[in-house]
Amino acid sequence: MTDRITSWHSNPSRPKFTPPPGAVDAHCHVFGPQSQFPFSPKAKYLPEDAGPDKLFALRDHLGFSRNVIVQASCHGTDNSATLDAIARSNGMARGVAVVDPDISETELEALHDGGIRGVRFNFLKRLVDNAPKDKFLEVAGRLPDGWHVVIYFEADILEEMTEFIDNIPVPVVIDHMGRPDVTQGPNGKDMTAFRKLLDSRDDIWTKVTCPDRLDPAGPPYADFIAAVRPLVEDYPTRILWGTDWPHPNMQDVLPDDGQLVDVIPQIAVTEKLQHQLLVDNPMALYWAED
Ligand code: 0GY
């Protein structure tokens, strides 16, 4: 792995949809800058720098107010780049860390002080070497108050994830709805299984994100919209939205973030749903003390 990749659009359109005041982009990342925050030796991709200045410029361009920065796998368990971006945000960013399961209580408290409110467990084999469920459960049992667990997996392993998820003692957020095949439609096998998971606990949340990853037809993302809109309507208090900028591993697509924002009013069709999705829900999870 030698070439550094660019996975984001250099000139995203300005969305037609205006997010409500205080809107939160609740799934985005920062990469580097490498000179200051080197990538992990175990990184499965090596991106160009995409630091906080670019992230906050995009936030403003899209009409958002806040970010939740999720530690990307290319930085391993060194959360310095994420913490640096949060520190530069004037309180307008919070984060989700990736931690070594042996992390001490003192280190967890330091992450909390730096604006981290959750840990991410990544089960994608193309992104991480291993995902030890027993160690993940152990660390999930000793997170600071108010934290949650974010889980990233694909639909083909949902069944084997259910017992693990059932045993997590804090709220759970599932990335990108567990990556269903949206071409199956809202009542297809993957969405039906995912709804069953949501119904198994009332504190499982999900990010209704990534039409660019989930809808093979691309814009205007008709299959994504058809599959996701009923989910938004049925679970309005448990949904989050994010750009996924800088779109790790999407170098063949370069999603237009303005187009992604314009999907929002098509999956959350009332002002109330939009406010829940973009303000009420992420604020409850990430700025609970505000
Ligand atoms: C995403 C998706 C991906 C990558 C990561 O941490 C990461 O590297 O999350 C992916 O490649 O599907 O949510 O950012």
Side-chain angles (χ1 to χ4, degrees), residues 56-74:
F56 301 148
L58 179 79
R59 173 198 67 194
D60 296 346
H61 175 75
L62 298 176
F64 279 70
S65 302
R66 297 173 191 250
N67 297 100
V68 178
I69 303 172
V70 177
Q71 168 82 352
S73 61
C74 56

mmCIF file of all heavy atoms in Angstrom, residues 56-74:
data_model
loop_
_atom_site.group_PDB
_atom_site.id
_atom_site.type_symbol
_atom_site.label_atom_id
_atom_site.label_comp_id
_atom_site.label_asym_id
_atom_site.label_seq_id
_atom_site.Cartn_x
_atom_site.Cartn_y
_atom_site.Cartn_z
ATOM 1 N N PHE A 56 -14.775 21.424 8.885
ATOM 2 C CA PHE A 56 -15.628 22.515 9.373
ATOM 3 C C PHE A 56 -16.080 23.426 8.217
ATOM 4 O O PHE A 56 -17.178 23.980 8.254
ATOM 5 C CB PHE A 56 -14.919 23.309 10.475
ATOM 6 C CG PHE A 56 -14.542 22.457 11.672
ATOM 7 C CD1 PHE A 56 -13.400 22.738 12.425
ATOM 8 C CD2 PHE A 56 -15.319 21.359 12.040
ATOM 9 C CE1 PHE A 56 -13.047 21.945 13.515
ATOM 10 C CE2 PHE A 56 -14.969 20.560 13.132
ATOM 11 C CZ PHE A 56 -13.829 20.858 13.876
ATOM 12 N N ALA A 57 -15.246 23.544 7.184
ATOM 13 C CA ALA A 57 -15.664 24.318 6.000
ATOM 14 C C ALA A 57 -16.839 23.613 5.316
ATOM 15 O O ALA A 57 -17.805 24.258 4.885
ATOM 16 C CB ALA A 57 -14.493 24.487 5.038
ATOM 17 N N LEU A 58 -16.769 22.290 5.240
ATOM 18 C CA LEU A 58 -17.874 21.528 4.630
ATOM 19 C C LEU A 58 -19.142 21.669 5.479
ATOM 20 O O LEU A 58 -20.240 21.880 4.951
ATOM 21 C CB LEU A 58 -17.507 20.048 4.490
ATOM 22 C CG LEU A 58 -18.636 19.219 3.877
ATOM 23 C CD1 LEU A 58 -18.683 19.378 2.368
ATOM 24 C CD2 LEU A 58 -18.496 17.742 4.234
ATOM 25 N N ARG A 59 -18.974 21.565 6.795
ATOM 26 C CA ARG A 59 -20.120 21.729 7.717
ATOM 27 C C ARG A 59 -20.849 23.046 7.411
ATOM 28 O O ARG A 59 -22.067 23.085 7.253
ATOM 29 C CB ARG A 59 -19.582 21.731 9.156
ATOM 30 C CG ARG A 59 -20.581 22.040 10.241
ATOM 31 C CD ARG A 59 -19.879 22.442 11.538
ATOM 32 N NE ARG A 59 -19.191 23.727 11.386
ATOM 33 C CZ ARG A 59 -18.279 24.217 12.219
ATOM 34 N NH1 ARG A 59 -17.917 23.528 13.286
ATOM 35 N NH2 ARG A 59 -17.721 25.403 12.004
ATOM 36 N N ASP A 60 -20.087 24.128 7.292
ATOM 37 C CA ASP A 60 -20.693 25.439 7.046
ATOM 38 C C ASP A 60 -21.325 25.488 5.647
ATOM 39 O O ASP A 60 -22.414 26.030 5.470
ATOM 40 C CB ASP A 60 -19.634 26.541 7.191
ATOM 41 C CG ASP A 60 -19.094 26.614 8.619
ATOM 42 O OD1 ASP A 60 -19.720 26.020 9.531
ATOM 43 O OD2 ASP A 60 -18.035 27.249 8.824
ATOM 44 N N HIS A 61 -20.627 24.936 4.673
ATOM 45 C CA HIS A 61 -21.125 24.934 3.286
ATOM 46 C C HIS A 61 -22.472 24.220 3.189
ATOM 47 O O HIS A 61 -23.361 24.630 2.441
ATOM 48 C CB HIS A 61 -20.081 24.245 2.403
ATOM 49 C CG HIS A 61 -20.479 24.061 0.983
ATOM 50 N ND1 HIS A 61 -20.498 25.090 0.060
ATOM 51 C CD2 HIS A 61 -20.894 22.960 0.298
ATOM 52 C CE1 HIS A 61 -20.892 24.626 -1.112
ATOM 53 N NE2 HIS A 61 -21.141 23.338 -1.001
ATOM 54 N N LEU A 62 -22.628 23.147 3.959
ATOM 55 C CA LEU A 62 -23.853 22.340 3.893
ATOM 56 C C LEU A 62 -24.959 22.880 4.791
ATOM 57 O O LEU A 62 -26.085 22.394 4.748
ATOM 58 C CB LEU A 62 -23.553 20.882 4.276
ATOM 59 C CG LEU A 62 -22.558 20.128 3.383
ATOM 60 C CD1 LEU A 62 -22.291 18.730 3.946
ATOM 61 C CD2 LEU A 62 -23.054 20.032 1.938
ATOM 62 N N GLY A 63 -24.643 23.862 5.637
ATOM 63 C CA GLY A 63 -25.649 24.442 6.520
ATOM 64 C C GLY A 63 -25.824 23.698 7.825
ATOM 65 O O GLY A 63 -26.879 23.786 8.464
ATOM 66 N N PHE A 64 -24.785 22.971 8.244
ATOM 67 C CA PHE A 64 -24.834 22.258 9.531
ATOM 68 C C PHE A 64 -24.127 23.081 10.609
ATOM 69 O O PHE A 64 -23.403 24.033 10.313
ATOM 70 C CB PHE A 64 -24.186 20.867 9.388
ATOM 71 C CG PHE A 64 -25.117 19.856 8.774
ATOM 72 C CD1 PHE A 64 -25.477 19.938 7.430
ATOM 73 C CD2 PHE A 64 -25.674 18.847 9.544
ATOM 74 C CE1 PHE A 64 -26.358 19.032 6.868
ATOM 75 C CE2 PHE A 64 -26.565 17.935 8.985
ATOM 76 C CZ PHE A 64 -26.905 18.024 7.651
ATOM 77 N N SER A 65 -24.357 22.692 11.874
ATOM 78 C CA SER A 65 -23.770 23.416 13.004
ATOM 79 C C SER A 65 -22.744 22.595 13.765
ATOM 80 O O SER A 65 -21.825 23.155 14.361
ATOM 81 C CB SER A 65 -24.861 23.815 14.009
ATOM 82 O OG SER A 65 -25.837 24.597 13.381
ATOM 83 N N ARG A 66 -22.941 21.292 13.806
ATOM 84 C CA ARG A 66 -22.103 20.450 14.679
ATOM 85 C C ARG A 66 -21.698 19.166 13.954
ATOM 86 O O ARG A 66 -22.363 18.755 13.001
ATOM 87 C CB ARG A 66 -22.869 20.067 15.957
ATOM 88 C CG ARG A 66 -23.247 21.253 16.823
ATOM 89 C CD ARG A 66 -24.148 20.790 17.974
ATOM 90 N NE ARG A 66 -24.734 21.923 18.658
ATOM 91 C CZ ARG A 66 -24.413 22.322 19.893
ATOM 92 N NH1 ARG A 66 -23.535 21.625 20.595
ATOM 93 N NH2 ARG A 66 -24.986 23.363 20.434
ATOM 94 N N ASN A 67 -20.642 18.548 14.497
ATOM 95 C CA ASN A 67 -20.153 17.276 13.946
ATOM 96 C C ASN A 67 -19.975 16.247 15.053
ATOM 97 O O ASN A 67 -19.551 16.592 16.158
ATOM 98 C CB ASN A 67 -18.777 17.442 13.287
ATOM 99 C CG ASN A 67 -18.787 18.380 12.107
ATOM 100 O OD1 ASN A 67 -18.403 19.541 12.210
ATOM 101 N ND2 ASN A 67 -19.223 17.887 10.966
ATOM 102 N N VAL A 68 -20.233 15.002 14.715
ATOM 103 C CA VAL A 68 -19.768 13.882 15.544
ATOM 104 C C VAL A 68 -18.699 13.158 14.726
ATOM 105 O O VAL A 68 -18.986 12.605 13.655
ATOM 106 C CB VAL A 68 -20.912 12.926 15.930
ATOM 107 C CG1 VAL A 68 -20.352 11.757 16.742
ATOM 108 C CG2 VAL A 68 -21.982 13.671 16.719
ATOM 109 N N ILE A 69 -17.476 13.207 15.234
ATOM 110 C CA ILE A 69 -16.332 12.670 14.491
ATOM 111 C C ILE A 69 -16.058 11.250 14.984
ATOM 112 O O ILE A 69 -15.790 11.027 16.166
ATOM 113 C CB ILE A 69 -15.096 13.573 14.683
ATOM 114 C CG1 ILE A 69 -15.430 15.014 14.233
ATOM 115 C CG2 ILE A 69 -13.908 13.009 13.913
ATOM 116 C CD1 ILE A 69 -14.355 16.032 14.547
ATOM 117 N N VAL A 70 -16.171 10.312 14.068
ATOM 118 C CA VAL A 70 -15.984 8.901 14.391
ATOM 119 C C VAL A 70 -14.559 8.518 13.996
ATOM 120 O O VAL A 70 -14.147 8.726 12.845
ATOM 121 C CB VAL A 70 -17.013 8.040 13.618
ATOM 122 C CG1 VAL A 70 -16.787 6.555 13.888
ATOM 123 C CG2 VAL A 70 -18.435 8.452 13.990
ATOM 124 N N GLN A 71 -13.838 7.973 14.956
ATOM 125 C CA GLN A 71 -12.465 7.545 14.694
ATOM 126 C C GLN A 71 -12.446 6.562 13.531
ATOM 127 O O GLN A 71 -13.137 5.533 13.553
ATOM 128 C CB GLN A 71 -11.920 6.892 15.971
ATOM 129 C CG GLN A 71 -10.634 6.145 15.827
ATOM 130 C CD GLN A 71 -9.411 7.075 15.864
ATOM 131 O OE1 GLN A 71 -9.539 8.302 15.856
ATOM 132 N NE2 GLN A 71 -8.237 6.498 15.884
ATOM 133 N N ALA A 72 -11.665 6.880 12.492
ATOM 134 C CA ALA A 72 -11.608 6.002 11.310
ATOM 135 C C ALA A 72 -10.557 4.919 11.514
ATOM 136 O O ALA A 72 -9.551 5.123 12.210
ATOM 137 C CB ALA A 72 -11.281 6.820 10.068
ATOM 138 N N SER A 73 -10.772 3.766 10.877
ATOM 139 C CA SER A 73 -9.892 2.609 11.095
ATOM 140 C C SER A 73 -8.438 2.898 10.705
ATOM 141 O O SER A 73 -7.519 2.299 11.267
ATOM 142 C CB SER A 73 -10.415 1.401 10.319
ATOM 143 O OG SER A 73 -10.430 1.679 8.935
ATOM 144 N N CYS A 74 -8.228 3.825 9.782
ATOM 145 C CA CYS A 74 -6.835 4.103 9.347
ATOM 146 C C CYS A 74 -6.003 4.722 10.461
ATOM 147 O O CYS A 74 -4.772 4.741 10.373
ATOM 148 C CB CYS A 74 -6.830 4.990 8.097
ATOM 149 S SG CYS A 74 -7.708 6.533 8.317
#
